[in-house]
Amino acid sequence: DLADALPNVTNCHVVVREGFDSLGEMDEIEEDLLYRAWGLEPTSRLSCQAIMSNRDVTIEIPKYSINQAKEQH
């Protein structure tokens, strides 16, 4: 159930700064979950869902991730 996964979405939401085109296409589940994450950008993905190729990818962890909020970053 998607509702059960919502608390974990911000744990794996990342913004891809380089190599976005090398990632596999987003499936419907990732799209639905990502839509609920904070601070979306055009190159946002869920690192726990995105399938990588053998190219380098540079990501940024959004300011509003649960881990950063709990750790007072």
Side-chain angles (χ1 to χ4, degrees), residues 13-21 23 26 30 34 39-47 50 57-60 62:
H13 170 219
V14 297
V15 178
V16 181
R17 296 296 181 205
E18 293 180 28
F20 183 82
D21 292 336
L23 299 176
M26 198 178 313
E30 183 180 357
L34 188 60
L40 289 180
E41 295 191 19
T43 57
S44 287
R45 291 294 300 262
L46 297 180
S47 62
V57 175
T58 302
I59 63 160
E60 178 181 327

Side-chain angles (χ1 to χ4, degrees), residues 30-66:
E30 183 180 357
E31 286 180 14
D32 289 345
L33 292 172
L34 188 60
Y35 177 74
R36 293 165 171 85
W38 293 27
L40 289 180
E41 295 191 19
T43 57
S44 287
R45 291 294 300 262
L46 297 180
S47 62
C48 54
Q49 296 289 315
I51 302 203
M52 298 180 62
S53 68
N54 59 356
R55 289 183 34 207
D56 289 341
V57 175
T58 302
I59 63 160
E60 178 181 327
I61 299 172
K63 179 179 179 180
Y64 299 106
S65 77
I66 286 175

